[in-house]
Amino acid sequence: MSNYWSDMVKRTEPYVPGEQLNRSDIIKLNTNENPYPPSPRVKEAILREMDGQLQKYPSPSATPLRSVIASHFGVTEQEVFVGNGSDEVLAFSFMAFFHQHRKIRFPEVTYSFYPVYAKLFAIPYETVPLNADFTLDVDAFFHSEGGVILPNPNAPTSLYEDISSIEQILQKNPETVVIVDEAYIDFGGTSAIELTSRYDNLLVVQTTSKSRSLAGMRVGYAIGNPVLIDALMRIKDSFNSYTVDRLAMVAATAAIDDDAYFKRTTEKIVQTRELAISALQQVGFTVLPSKTNFVFATHASVQAETLYKQLKENNILVRHFNAPFIDNYLRISIGTDEQMEMLLTTLRKIL
Ligand SMILES: *Cc1c(COP(=O)(O)O)cnc(C)c1O
């Protein structure tokens, strides 16, 4: 720590992303990237945009992209915000809706960026323990002081909570904003977007990083009441008018437009996931019922950390969290059928 540092820097505890070893001999099942490339229309759109557009600033209101998202989800453009990855949308949301003297709530086991943002913006928080089976203790989110944020499906547990539970949480927090982070919703859940027309306090955040194969482009979005979107715009325009660049904008637009490709690849991942779950069970794992593009698994006789290390020696990366409650679990992203077959072959050898 340095005297040159502001109080803000001093109180940060930065997020640590999964290792990015981009070696071609590594099977990377540790950051929930999509194993399939984005729709071929994405490349065409980027090439078109590169041809003579890059000297110009992008649209500050991100208009073409916002209108495509709006029509895709059957809402108006005024109900859509876009940002440089959903991580940025979430960070702006903490600034826009949470307060410095009112405790927010999120699950005890969840996306580890939430406590990072809370510390950065000096927002107090309390964590809600999960039930013994890792499901959400829904009632414990009622009557929060400062608001609620939770992923559905939750990460890294992969468990999906029915939207009737989300609706109860909304009803019991009428005075505060409830943020539902739907990074993995396209792998089997039902989005809470349909509730935004009835609940002014609901903000649904999604990303193109997982189901649309665009982690490298960094585009996320939020859908909610225009009053909430206006707050996010005010934060963005007090920070950086152009958070989404031209290439990211056209890439995300093309990816959202190509619904057939999206359906094909997400269905394929769901199918691979179900096969992987039974194969993992056959070699002694207990696997939580996943509605995401990853599985959360623990082995009956071998420690998760040992497995993580031995897989890594065999050039297979999975995620292991050295954290309470989950340190005997591995989070394994769903890759291609071939990658999952390699994983299983290696596990059979190790076990
Ligand atoms: C991956 C992920 C995000 C972030 O996605 P980006 O849009 O790539 O920033 C947000 N929330 C959860 C729960 C995630 O797993």
Side-chain angles (χ1 to χ4, degrees):
M1 234 180 251
S2 157
N3 284 336
Y4 295 133
W5 285 12
S6 69
D7 290 342
M8 195 181 200
V9 178
K10 284 179 187 160
R11 67 173 182 256
T12 55
E13 275 183 43
Y15 177 77
V16 184
E19 301 151 275
Q20 286 293 355
L21 289 177
N22 287 325
R23 269 168 38 199
S24 59
D25 57 333
I26 293 244
I27 296 183
K28 223 177 140 294
L29 305 174
N30 70 328
T31 54
N32 300 341
E33 288 150 338
N34 200 305
Y36 302 109
S39 155
R41 292 195 204 162
V42 166
K43 187 176 171 183
E44 291 163 23
I46 289 175
L47 291 176
R48 227 178 298 125
E49 190 73 6
M50 281 175 63
D51 199 7
Q53 297 298 319
L54 291 189
Q55 69 276 33
K56 294 184 274 177
Y57 280 110
S59 157
S61 59
T63 294
L65 175 56
R66 280 170 70 211
S67 70
V68 164
I69 293 170
S71 60
H72 183 81
F73 291 104
V75 298
T76 65
E77 209 176 304
Q78 288 67 41
E79 293 166 286
V80 179
F81 179 79
V82 302
N84 185 16
S86 64
D87 286 334
E88 184 187 79
V89 177
L90 292 167
F92 286 0
S93 303
F94 270 65
M95 285 192 262
F97 308 120
F98 296 156
H99 305 261
Q100 296 208 330
H101 302 286
R102 291 197 237 155
K103 275 188 195 159
I104 60 163
R105 262 181 224 163
F106 49 79
E108 183 156 31
V109 174
T110 196
Y111 188 37
S112 39
F113 235 128
Y114 304 156
V116 171
Y117 294 137
K119 279 170 193 148
L120 177 64
F121 302 126
I123 294 158
Y125 64 90
E126 51 199 1
T127 57
V128 177
L130 298 179
N131 296 321
D133 61 357
F134 289 110
T135 56
L136 282 193
D137 180 2
V138 174
D139 298 14
F141 290 91
F142 295 173
H143 313 295
S144 79
E145 193 182 30
V148 170
I149 178 160
L150 49 89
N152 194 31
N154 196 8
T157 64
S158 79
L159 297 181
Y160 169 72
E161 200 64 55
D162 198 83
I163 56 168
S164 60
S165 306
I166 304 294
E167 185 159 14
Q168 287 176 43
I169 293 171
L170 286 162
Q171 285 168 348
K172 302 290 175 142
N173 287 280
E175 306 296 324
T176 57
V177 174
V178 174
I179 301 172
V180 182
D181 177 355
E182 293 189 335
Y184 301 103
I185 197 66
D186 297 324
F187 301 101
T190 301
S191 173
I193 289 173
E194 61 185 69
L195 299 177
T196 56
S197 60
R198 282 187 287 129
Y199 295 92
D200 291 354
N201 58 331
L202 169 61
L203 189 80
V204 178
V205 178
Q206 294 192 356
T207 176
T208 62
S209 296
K210 289 21 188 278
S211 58
R212 309 229 178 229
S213 306
L214 284 180
M217 287 314 271
R218 315 300 307 125
V219 179
Y221 48 95
I223 294 179
N225 185 279
V227 173
L228 301 185
I229 301 307
D230 191 37
L232 288 169
M233 290 290 190
R234 293 174 70 100
I235 295 284
K236 174 186 80 78
D237 290 328
S238 306
F239 176 81
N240 173 1
S241 304
Y242 311 104
T243 53
V244 183
D245 67 67
R246 280 185 175 272
L247 300 185
M249 199 110 62
V250 296
T253 304
I256 288 166
D257 248 347
D258 195 349
D259 215 37
Y261 183 89
F262 160 76
K263 289 205 172 106
R264 211 159 55 236
T265 47
T266 46
E267 273 165 22
K268 179 67 196 166
I269 289 165
V270 168
Q271 185 190 49
T272 305
R273 176 187 75 203
E274 296 309 311
L275 292 173
I277 289 175
S278 20
L280 286 165
Q281 286 168 337
Q282 276 164 26
V283 295
F285 283 92
T286 301
V287 188
L288 299 192
S290 169
K291 290 273 195 249
T292 61
N293 67 337
F294 60 88
V295 292
F296 204 53
T298 185
H299 194 267
S301 50
V302 188
Q303 289 285 314
E305 189 171 7
T306 309
L307 287 172
Y308 160 79
K309 285 182 182 152
Q310 296 195 359
L311 285 170
K312 193 170 174 180
E313 278 167 25
N314 285 277
N315 290 337
I316 298 179
L317 275 186
V318 298
R319 193 96 197 252
H320 172 252
F321 298 91
N322 236 327
F325 313 110
I326 56 170
D327 58 349
N328 204 22
Y329 280 78
L330 293 177
R331 192 194 69 186
I332 307 170
S333 309
I334 302 300
T336 61
D337 287 333
E338 295 71 34
Q339 290 175 322
M340 300 319 274
E341 201 40 62
M342 276 295 292
L343 168 78
L344 262 305
T345 308
T346 311
L347 281 171
R348 283 187 204 106
K349 208 169 66 188
I350 294 171
L351 288 164

